[in-house]
Amino acid sequence: DRGGACVKKRPGGSVSTVLGMVLLTAVLGLAVLAGSPGAGPWDPTSAMASRGPVIAGKIPVEYVPWVAKAGGLCPQISAALLAAQLWVESGFDRTATSRAGAQGPAQLMPTTWAAWGRDEDGNGSASPRDIGDAVMAQGRLMCSLAASAAGSGYPGGVVPLALAGYNAGWGAVSKYAGIPPYQ
């Protein structure tokens, strides 16, 4: 881990990981829009809650209200992006723990959780393993990273830079003035 969430060791490095997340976000976004009757913005209560996941086995129903809420925190970060990120980080596994120590469905490191975590679901405890707590922390962190990306002047675009900051830490994005070349 380099500050944000768990840095995945995959062939092709972080550029392909970030581009993969952007592509997955587009696919999920199209699936969400295709699942909604009529035109207009996605309404999770009508489009998903009554039918279950948009993509069977990919977005568990218990995540839907939290992803929708967190996706409305700032204009740069969509519900589809957050859902794609959760899928890539943990496969929606709330019990996931990385070798580096990142925890829960959003794969937040303890220091990151300490900064961004709150008891969002009202159960009396803030936990990176609670779906609502984790997804809202993920959304707040991503909005902050998007703001940093927008003001940075670095090439690559706001969303890819925010994803790179989440995965490698904003310090790494700053060091390389863009998406880090990590493998």
Short mmCIF file of all heavy atoms in Angstrom, two decimals, residues 105-174:
data_model
loop_
_atom_site.label_atom_id
_atom_site.label_comp_id
_atom_site.label_asym_id
_atom_site.label_seq_id
_atom_site.Cartn_x
_atom_site.Cartn_y
_atom_site.Cartn_z
N PRO A 105 -14.98 -3.71 2.11
CA PRO A 105 -15.30 -3.69 0.68
C PRO A 105 -14.59 -2.58 -0.09
O PRO A 105 -14.31 -2.73 -1.26
CB PRO A 105 -16.82 -3.49 0.66
CG PRO A 105 -17.16 -2.89 1.98
CD PRO A 105 -16.15 -3.44 2.95
N ALA A 106 -14.27 -1.47 0.60
CA ALA A 106 -13.58 -0.36 -0.07
C ALA A 106 -12.07 -0.46 0.09
O ALA A 106 -11.34 0.39 -0.42
CB ALA A 106 -14.09 0.97 0.47
N GLN A 107 -11.59 -1.51 0.78
CA GLN A 107 -10.16 -1.75 0.97
C GLN A 107 -9.43 -0.50 1.46
O GLN A 107 -8.47 -0.02 0.85
CB GLN A 107 -9.53 -2.30 -0.30
CG GLN A 107 -9.93 -3.74 -0.56
CD GLN A 107 -9.36 -4.69 0.49
OE1 GLN A 107 -8.20 -5.04 0.45
NE2 GLN A 107 -10.18 -5.09 1.45
N LEU A 108 -9.87 0.01 2.61
CA LEU A 108 -9.25 1.18 3.22
C LEU A 108 -8.22 0.76 4.26
O LEU A 108 -8.49 -0.11 5.09
CB LEU A 108 -10.33 2.06 3.86
CG LEU A 108 -11.34 2.62 2.86
CD1 LEU A 108 -12.53 3.22 3.59
CD2 LEU A 108 -10.70 3.64 1.95
N MET A 109 -7.06 1.38 4.19
CA MET A 109 -6.01 1.15 5.19
C MET A 109 -6.46 1.78 6.51
O MET A 109 -7.25 2.74 6.51
CB MET A 109 -4.69 1.77 4.73
CG MET A 109 -4.07 1.06 3.53
SD MET A 109 -3.61 -0.64 3.87
CE MET A 109 -2.20 -0.39 4.94
N PRO A 110 -5.97 1.28 7.64
CA PRO A 110 -6.37 1.84 8.93
C PRO A 110 -6.16 3.36 9.04
O PRO A 110 -7.02 4.06 9.58
CB PRO A 110 -5.51 1.08 9.94
CG PRO A 110 -5.30 -0.26 9.28
CD PRO A 110 -5.15 0.07 7.81
N THR A 111 -5.06 3.88 8.53
CA THR A 111 -4.83 5.33 8.61
C THR A 111 -5.81 6.09 7.72
O THR A 111 -6.27 7.17 8.08
CB THR A 111 -3.38 5.68 8.23
OG1 THR A 111 -3.09 5.13 6.94
CG2 THR A 111 -2.39 5.15 9.25
N THR A 112 -6.13 5.53 6.57
CA THR A 112 -7.11 6.15 5.68
C THR A 112 -8.49 6.10 6.32
O THR A 112 -9.24 7.09 6.30
CB THR A 112 -7.12 5.45 4.31
OG1 THR A 112 -5.79 5.43 3.78
CG2 THR A 112 -8.04 6.14 3.33
N TRP A 113 -8.82 4.96 6.93
CA TRP A 113 -10.10 4.82 7.61
C TRP A 113 -10.20 5.84 8.75
O TRP A 113 -11.25 6.46 8.95
CB TRP A 113 -10.29 3.40 8.14
CG TRP A 113 -11.55 3.30 8.94
CD1 TRP A 113 -11.66 3.20 10.30
CD2 TRP A 113 -12.88 3.36 8.44
NE1 TRP A 113 -12.98 3.19 10.66
CE2 TRP A 113 -13.75 3.29 9.54
CE3 TRP A 113 -13.41 3.46 7.16
CZ2 TRP A 113 -15.13 3.32 9.41
CZ3 TRP A 113 -14.80 3.50 7.03
CH2 TRP A 113 -15.63 3.42 8.15
N ALA A 114 -9.13 6.03 9.51
CA ALA A 114 -9.14 6.97 10.62
C ALA A 114 -9.48 8.39 10.14
O ALA A 114 -10.16 9.14 10.85
CB ALA A 114 -7.80 6.96 11.35
N ALA A 115 -9.04 8.74 8.95
CA ALA A 115 -9.30 10.06 8.41
C ALA A 115 -10.68 10.21 7.79
O ALA A 115 -11.30 11.27 7.89
CB ALA A 115 -8.23 10.42 7.36
N TRP A 116 -11.19 9.16 7.16
CA TRP A 116 -12.41 9.28 6.36
C TRP A 116 -13.62 8.51 6.90
O TRP A 116 -14.75 8.75 6.47
CB TRP A 116 -12.14 8.82 4.92
CG TRP A 116 -11.13 9.70 4.27
CD1 TRP A 116 -9.79 9.45 4.12
CD2 TRP A 116 -11.35 10.99 3.72
NE1 TRP A 116 -9.18 10.50 3.51
CE2 TRP A 116 -10.11 11.47 3.24
CE3 TRP A 116 -12.47 11.80 3.57
CZ2 TRP A 116 -9.97 12.71 2.63
CZ3 TRP A 116 -12.33 13.03 2.96
CH2 TRP A 116 -11.09 13.47 2.50
N GLY A 117 -13.40 7.58 7.82
CA GLY A 117 -14.48 6.72 8.30
C GLY A 117 -15.38 7.39 9.32
O GLY A 117 -14.94 8.19 10.14
N ARG A 118 -16.66 7.05 9.26
CA ARG A 118 -17.69 7.52 10.20
C ARG A 118 -18.77 6.44 10.32
O ARG A 118 -18.90 5.59 9.45
CB ARG A 118 -18.39 8.79 9.69
CG ARG A 118 -17.51 9.97 9.49
CD ARG A 118 -18.35 11.16 9.04
NE ARG A 118 -17.48 12.19 8.51
CZ ARG A 118 -17.81 13.06 7.59
NH1 ARG A 118 -19.03 13.02 7.06
NH2 ARG A 118 -16.97 13.96 7.17
N ASP A 119 -19.57 6.54 11.37
CA ASP A 119 -20.71 5.64 11.53
C ASP A 119 -21.86 6.18 10.69
O ASP A 119 -22.68 6.95 11.16
CB ASP A 119 -21.11 5.54 13.00
CG ASP A 119 -22.31 4.64 13.23
OD1 ASP A 119 -22.64 3.83 12.33
OD2 ASP A 119 -22.93 4.75 14.30
N GLU A 120 -21.90 5.78 9.44
CA GLU A 120 -22.94 6.25 8.51
C GLU A 120 -24.22 5.46 8.63
O GLU A 120 -25.30 5.98 8.35
CB GLU A 120 -22.42 6.17 7.07
CG GLU A 120 -21.30 7.12 6.77
CD GLU A 120 -21.73 8.56 6.62
OE1 GLU A 120 -22.95 8.83 6.46
OE2 GLU A 120 -20.84 9.42 6.64
N ASP A 121 -24.13 4.20 9.01
CA ASP A 121 -25.32 3.36 9.05
C ASP A 121 -26.05 3.43 10.39
O ASP A 121 -27.08 2.80 10.57
CB ASP A 121 -24.99 1.91 8.68
CG ASP A 121 -23.97 1.27 9.61
OD1 ASP A 121 -23.66 1.83 10.68
OD2 ASP A 121 -23.47 0.18 9.25
N GLY A 122 -25.51 4.21 11.33
CA GLY A 122 -26.19 4.44 12.61
C GLY A 122 -26.24 3.25 13.54
O GLY A 122 -27.09 3.21 14.43
N ASN A 123 -25.33 2.29 13.38
CA ASN A 123 -25.36 1.12 14.25
C ASN A 123 -24.52 1.31 15.52
O ASN A 123 -24.35 0.37 16.29
CB ASN A 123 -24.92 -0.15 13.50
CG ASN A 123 -23.44 -0.15 13.16
OD1 ASN A 123 -22.71 0.80 13.42
ND2 ASN A 123 -23.01 -1.22 12.53
N GLY A 124 -23.99 2.51 15.73
CA GLY A 124 -23.24 2.81 16.94
C GLY A 124 -21.75 2.55 16.84
O GLY A 124 -21.02 2.78 17.80
N SER A 125 -21.29 2.06 15.69
CA SER A 125 -19.86 1.83 15.53
C SER A 125 -19.45 2.12 14.10
O SER A 125 -20.16 1.77 13.15
CB SER A 125 -19.52 0.40 15.94
OG SER A 125 -19.01 -0.37 14.92
N ALA A 126 -18.32 2.78 13.95
CA ALA A 126 -17.77 3.06 12.63
C ALA A 126 -16.81 1.92 12.29
O ALA A 126 -15.87 1.67 13.04
CB ALA A 126 -17.05 4.39 12.62
N SER A 127 -17.06 1.25 11.16
CA SER A 127 -16.23 0.11 10.79
C SER A 127 -16.00 0.08 9.29
O SER A 127 -16.96 0.24 8.52
CB SER A 127 -16.89 -1.20 11.22
OG SER A 127 -16.20 -2.30 10.67
N PRO A 128 -14.75 -0.16 8.85
CA PRO A 128 -14.50 -0.27 7.41
C PRO A 128 -15.15 -1.51 6.80
O PRO A 128 -15.19 -1.66 5.59
CB PRO A 128 -12.97 -0.35 7.33
CG PRO A 128 -12.54 -0.89 8.63
CD PRO A 128 -13.54 -0.37 9.64
N ARG A 129 -15.69 -2.39 7.66
CA ARG A 129 -16.37 -3.59 7.17
C ARG A 129 -17.90 -3.40 7.07
O ARG A 129 -18.58 -4.23 6.46
CB ARG A 129 -16.05 -4.78 8.05
CG ARG A 129 -14.56 -5.10 8.02
CD ARG A 129 -14.25 -6.39 8.74
NE ARG A 129 -12.83 -6.62 8.87
CZ ARG A 129 -12.00 -7.00 7.91
NH1 ARG A 129 -12.46 -7.18 6.70
NH2 ARG A 129 -10.72 -7.21 8.14
N ASP A 130 -18.42 -2.34 7.64
CA ASP A 130 -19.85 -2.01 7.50
C ASP A 130 -20.04 -1.37 6.12
O ASP A 130 -19.34 -0.41 5.77
CB ASP A 130 -20.31 -1.03 8.57
CG ASP A 130 -20.45 -1.66 9.94
OD1 ASP A 130 -20.40 -2.91 10.05
OD2 ASP A 130 -20.61 -0.90 10.92
N ILE A 131 -20.97 -1.88 5.36
CA ILE A 131 -21.16 -1.43 3.99
C ILE A 131 -21.38 0.08 3.91
O ILE A 131 -20.69 0.77 3.18
CB ILE A 131 -22.32 -2.20 3.32
CG1 ILE A 131 -21.93 -3.67 3.18
CG2 ILE A 131 -22.68 -1.59 1.97
CD1 ILE A 131 -23.08 -4.58 2.81
N GLY A 132 -22.33 0.60 4.66
CA GLY A 132 -22.62 2.03 4.60
C GLY A 132 -21.44 2.88 5.02
O GLY A 132 -21.12 3.88 4.37
N ASP A 133 -20.80 2.50 6.10
CA ASP A 133 -19.64 3.26 6.59
C ASP A 133 -18.53 3.27 5.54
O ASP A 133 -17.94 4.32 5.25
CB ASP A 133 -19.10 2.65 7.89
CG ASP A 133 -20.11 2.64 9.03
OD1 ASP A 133 -21.20 3.23 8.90
OD2 ASP A 133 -19.81 2.01 10.06
N ALA A 134 -18.24 2.10 4.98
CA ALA A 134 -17.14 1.97 4.02
C ALA A 134 -17.42 2.72 2.72
O ALA A 134 -16.55 3.44 2.21
CB ALA A 134 -16.88 0.50 3.72
N VAL A 135 -18.62 2.56 2.18
CA VAL A 135 -18.93 3.18 0.89
C VAL A 135 -18.97 4.71 1.01
O VAL A 135 -18.48 5.41 0.13
CB VAL A 135 -20.25 2.62 0.31
CG1 VAL A 135 -20.66 3.36 -0.95
CG2 VAL A 135 -20.11 1.13 0.04
N MET A 136 -19.50 5.21 2.11
CA MET A 136 -19.52 6.67 2.28
C MET A 136 -18.10 7.22 2.48
O MET A 136 -17.77 8.29 1.97
CB MET A 136 -20.44 7.05 3.44
CG MET A 136 -21.91 6.76 3.16
SD MET A 136 -22.56 7.52 1.64
CE MET A 136 -22.48 9.25 2.11
N ALA A 137 -17.25 6.48 3.20
CA ALA A 137 -15.85 6.90 3.35
C ALA A 137 -15.16 6.90 1.98
O ALA A 137 -14.41 7.83 1.64
CB ALA A 137 -15.12 5.99 4.33
N GLN A 138 -15.43 5.86 1.21
CA GLN A 138 -14.89 5.77 -0.15
C GLN A 138 -15.33 6.99 -0.97
O GLN A 138 -14.51 7.61 -1.65
CB GLN A 138 -15.37 4.48 -0.80
CG GLN A 138 -15.06 4.35 -2.27
CD GLN A 138 -15.92 3.29 -2.97
OE1 GLN A 138 -16.93 2.84 -2.43
NE2 GLN A 138 -15.52 2.91 -4.15
N GLY A 139 -16.61 7.33 -0.90
CA GLY A 139 -17.13 8.47 -1.65
C GLY A 139 -16.50 9.78 -1.23
O GLY A 139 -16.11 10.60 -2.07
N ARG A 140 -16.37 10.00 0.08
CA ARG A 140 -15.75 11.24 0.57
C ARG A 140 -14.29 11.33 0.11
O ARG A 140 -13.83 12.38 -0.33
CB ARG A 140 -15.84 11.33 2.09
CG ARG A 140 -17.21 11.70 2.61
CD ARG A 140 -17.19 12.02 4.10
NE ARG A 140 -16.80 10.88 4.90
CZ ARG A 140 -17.62 9.91 5.31
NH1 ARG A 140 -18.90 9.96 4.96
NH2 ARG A 140 -17.20 8.91 6.05
N LEU A 141 -13.57 10.22 0.24
CA LEU A 141 -12.17 10.20 -0.18
C LEU A 141 -12.06 10.45 -1.68
O LEU A 141 -11.22 11.24 -2.13
CB LEU A 141 -11.53 8.86 0.20
CG LEU A 141 -10.10 8.61 -0.29
CD1 LEU A 141 -9.14 9.72 0.15
CD2 LEU A 141 -9.62 7.25 0.19
N MET A 142 -12.88 9.79 -2.47
CA MET A 142 -12.82 9.98 -3.92
C MET A 142 -13.16 11.41 -4.32
O MET A 142 -12.54 11.96 -5.24
CB MET A 142 -13.74 8.98 -4.63
CG MET A 142 -13.17 7.57 -4.72
SD MET A 142 -11.64 7.49 -5.68
CE MET A 142 -12.28 7.82 -7.33
N CYS A 143 -14.10 12.03 -3.64
CA CYS A 143 -14.43 13.44 -3.94
C CYS A 143 -13.25 14.35 -3.61
O CYS A 143 -12.94 15.27 -4.37
CB CYS A 143 -15.67 13.87 -3.17
SG CYS A 143 -17.20 13.20 -3.86
N SER A 144 -12.59 14.08 -2.51
CA SER A 144 -11.41 14.86 -2.15
C SER A 144 -10.30 14.66 -3.19
O SER A 144 -9.65 15.62 -3.60
CB SER A 144 -10.91 14.45 -0.76
OG SER A 144 -9.72 15.11 -0.44
N LEU A 145 -10.09 13.42 -3.60
CA LEU A 145 -9.08 13.13 -4.62
C LEU A 145 -9.44 13.77 -5.96
O LEU A 145 -8.57 14.27 -6.68
CB LEU A 145 -8.89 11.62 -4.76
CG LEU A 145 -8.23 10.93 -3.57
CD1 LEU A 145 -8.38 9.42 -3.67
CD2 LEU A 145 -6.77 11.33 -3.45
N ALA A 146 -10.72 13.78 -6.30
CA ALA A 146 -11.16 14.41 -7.55
C ALA A 146 -10.88 15.91 -7.50
O ALA A 146 -10.44 16.50 -8.50
CB ALA A 146 -12.65 14.15 -7.79
N ALA A 147 -11.10 16.53 -6.35
CA ALA A 147 -10.81 17.96 -6.21
C ALA A 147 -9.30 18.21 -6.35
O ALA A 147 -8.88 19.16 -7.01
CB ALA A 147 -11.32 18.48 -4.87
N SER A 148 -8.51 17.34 -5.75
CA SER A 148 -7.05 17.46 -5.88
C SER A 148 -6.63 17.29 -7.34
O SER A 148 -5.78 18.03 -7.84
CB SER A 148 -6.33 16.42 -5.01
OG SER A 148 -6.55 16.67 -3.65
N ALA A 149 -7.23 16.32 -8.01
CA ALA A 149 -6.91 16.06 -9.41
C ALA A 149 -7.29 17.24 -10.29
O ALA A 149 -6.52 17.66 -11.16
CB ALA A 149 -7.60 14.79 -9.89
N ALA A 150 -8.47 17.81 -10.05
CA ALA A 150 -8.95 18.92 -10.86
C ALA A 150 -8.04 20.14 -10.73
O ALA A 150 -7.83 20.88 -11.69
CB ALA A 150 -10.38 19.28 -10.47
N GLY A 151 -7.49 20.34 -9.54
CA GLY A 151 -6.63 21.50 -9.31
C GLY A 151 -5.16 21.25 -9.57
O GLY A 151 -4.35 22.16 -9.47
N SER A 152 -4.81 20.03 -9.94
CA SER A 152 -3.39 19.67 -10.06
C SER A 152 -2.72 20.10 -11.35
O SER A 152 -1.52 20.35 -11.37
CB SER A 152 -3.23 18.16 -9.92
OG SER A 152 -3.73 17.49 -11.07
N GLY A 153 -3.48 20.15 -12.43
CA GLY A 153 -2.88 20.42 -13.73
C GLY A 153 -2.18 19.21 -14.33
O GLY A 153 -1.57 19.31 -15.39
N TYR A 154 -2.26 18.05 -13.67
CA TYR A 154 -1.61 16.85 -14.18
C TYR A 154 -2.42 16.29 -15.34
O TYR A 154 -3.65 16.36 -15.35
CB TYR A 154 -1.50 15.77 -13.10
CG TYR A 154 -0.73 16.16 -11.88
CD1 TYR A 154 -1.07 15.65 -10.64
CD2 TYR A 154 0.35 17.05 -11.93
CE1 TYR A 154 -0.36 15.99 -9.49
CE2 TYR A 154 1.07 17.39 -10.80
CZ TYR A 154 0.71 16.86 -9.58
OH TYR A 154 1.40 17.20 -8.46
N PRO A 155 -1.73 15.66 -16.30
CA PRO A 155 -2.44 15.05 -17.43
C PRO A 155 -3.13 13.76 -16.99
O PRO A 155 -2.75 13.14 -16.00
CB PRO A 155 -1.32 14.74 -18.43
CG PRO A 155 -0.10 14.55 -17.58
CD PRO A 155 -0.27 15.50 -16.41
N GLY A 156 -4.13 13.37 -17.73
CA GLY A 156 -4.77 12.08 -17.49
C GLY A 156 -6.25 12.16 -17.18
O GLY A 156 -6.95 11.18 -17.32
N GLY A 157 -6.73 13.30 -16.73
CA GLY A 157 -8.15 13.44 -16.43
C GLY A 157 -8.44 13.26 -14.95
O GLY A 157 -7.72 12.57 -14.23
N VAL A 158 -9.50 13.90 -14.50
CA VAL A 158 -9.86 13.91 -13.08
C VAL A 158 -10.13 12.51 -12.54
O VAL A 158 -9.59 12.12 -11.50
CB VAL A 158 -11.07 14.84 -12.84
CG1 VAL A 158 -11.62 14.70 -11.42
CG2 VAL A 158 -10.68 16.30 -13.09
N VAL A 159 -10.97 11.73 -13.20
CA VAL A 159 -11.33 10.41 -12.68
C VAL A 159 -10.14 9.45 -12.66
O VAL A 159 -9.88 8.84 -11.62
CB VAL A 159 -12.55 9.83 -13.43
CG1 VAL A 159 -12.78 8.37 -13.07
CG2 VAL A 159 -13.80 10.65 -13.12
N PRO A 160 -9.38 9.32 -13.75
CA PRO A 160 -8.22 8.44 -13.67
C PRO A 160 -7.21 8.87 -12.59
O PRO A 160 -6.64 8.02 -11.90
CB PRO A 160 -7.60 8.50 -15.07
CG PRO A 160 -8.75 8.84 -15.96
CD PRO A 160 -9.61 9.77 -15.14
N LEU A 161 -6.99 10.17 -12.44
CA LEU A 161 -6.06 10.64 -11.41
C LEU A 161 -6.61 10.36 -10.01
O LEU A 161 -5.86 9.97 -9.11
CB LEU A 161 -5.78 12.14 -11.58
CG LEU A 161 -4.90 12.51 -12.78
CD1 LEU A 161 -4.93 14.01 -13.01
CD2 LEU A 161 -3.48 12.01 -12.59
N ALA A 162 -7.92 10.55 -9.81
CA ALA A 162 -8.52 10.24 -8.51
C ALA A 162 -8.41 8.75 -8.20
O ALA A 162 -8.08 8.36 -7.07
CB ALA A 162 -9.98 10.70 -8.47
N LEU A 163 -8.64 7.90 -9.20
CA LEU A 163 -8.50 6.46 -9.00
C LEU A 163 -7.06 6.09 -8.67
O LEU A 163 -6.80 5.26 -7.79
CB LEU A 163 -8.97 5.70 -10.25
CG LEU A 163 -10.47 5.69 -10.49
CD1 LEU A 163 -10.79 5.17 -11.88
CD2 LEU A 163 -11.19 4.89 -9.43
N ALA A 164 -6.11 6.72 -9.35
CA ALA A 164 -4.70 6.46 -9.06
C ALA A 164 -4.37 6.92 -7.64
O ALA A 164 -3.63 6.23 -6.92
CB ALA A 164 -3.81 7.17 -10.08
N GLY A 165 -4.92 8.06 -7.23
CA GLY A 165 -4.70 8.55 -5.86
C GLY A 165 -5.29 7.61 -4.82
O GLY A 165 -4.71 7.40 -3.76
N TYR A 166 -6.44 7.04 -5.12
CA TYR A 166 -7.08 6.09 -4.21
C TYR A 166 -6.22 4.83 -4.09
O TYR A 166 -6.03 4.30 -3.00
CB TYR A 166 -8.46 5.73 -4.74
CG TYR A 166 -9.33 4.93 -3.78
CD1 TYR A 166 -10.21 5.58 -2.93
CD2 TYR A 166 -9.26 3.55 -3.74
CE1 TYR A 166 -11.02 4.87 -2.06
CE2 TYR A 166 -10.06 2.82 -2.87
CZ TYR A 166 -10.94 3.49 -2.04
OH TYR A 166 -11.74 2.77 -1.18
N ASN A 167 -5.71 4.38 -5.20
CA ASN A 167 -4.97 3.13 -5.22
C ASN A 167 -3.54 3.28 -4.71
O ASN A 167 -3.07 2.43 -3.96
CB ASN A 167 -4.96 2.56 -6.64
CG ASN A 167 -4.63 1.10 -6.66
OD1 ASN A 167 -3.47 0.73 -6.60
ND2 ASN A 167 -5.65 0.26 -6.73
N ALA A 168 -2.85 4.33 -5.10
CA ALA A 168 -1.43 4.48 -4.76
C ALA A 168 -1.17 5.58 -3.74
O ALA A 168 -0.07 5.67 -3.22
CB ALA A 168 -0.64 4.77 -6.03
N GLY A 169 -2.16 6.41 -3.46
CA GLY A 169 -1.97 7.56 -2.58
C GLY A 169 -1.70 8.81 -3.40
O GLY A 169 -1.04 8.74 -4.45
N TRP A 170 -2.23 9.94 -2.95
CA TRP A 170 -2.04 11.17 -3.72
C TRP A 170 -0.57 11.59 -3.77
O TRP A 170 -0.11 12.18 -4.74
CB TRP A 170 -2.91 12.31 -3.18
CG TRP A 170 -2.85 13.46 -4.13
CD1 TRP A 170 -2.18 14.63 -3.97
CD2 TRP A 170 -3.44 13.53 -5.43
NE1 TRP A 170 -2.30 15.43 -5.08
CE2 TRP A 170 -3.08 14.77 -5.99
CE3 TRP A 170 -4.23 12.66 -6.17
CZ2 TRP A 170 -3.49 15.16 -7.27
CZ3 TRP A 170 -4.65 13.05 -7.43
CH2 TRP A 170 -4.28 14.29 -7.97
N GLY A 171 0.21 11.22 -2.76
CA GLY A 171 1.63 11.53 -2.77
C GLY A 171 2.33 10.92 -3.97
O GLY A 171 3.21 11.54 -4.57
N ALA A 172 1.94 9.71 -4.35
CA ALA A 172 2.54 9.06 -5.52
C ALA A 172 2.11 9.76 -6.80
O ALA A 172 2.93 9.93 -7.72
CB ALA A 172 2.14 7.58 -5.56
N VAL A 173 0.86 10.19 -6.87
CA VAL A 173 0.39 10.93 -8.05
C VAL A 173 1.17 12.24 -8.17
O VAL A 173 1.63 12.60 -9.26
CB VAL A 173 -1.13 11.19 -7.96
CG1 VAL A 173 -1.60 12.10 -9.10
CG2 VAL A 173 -1.90 9.87 -7.98
N SER A 174 1.38 12.92 -7.06
CA SER A 174 2.16 14.17 -7.06
C SER A 174 3.61 13.91 -7.46
O SER A 174 4.19 14.67 -8.24
CB SER A 174 2.11 14.83 -5.69
OG SER A 174 0.80 15.26 -5.39
#
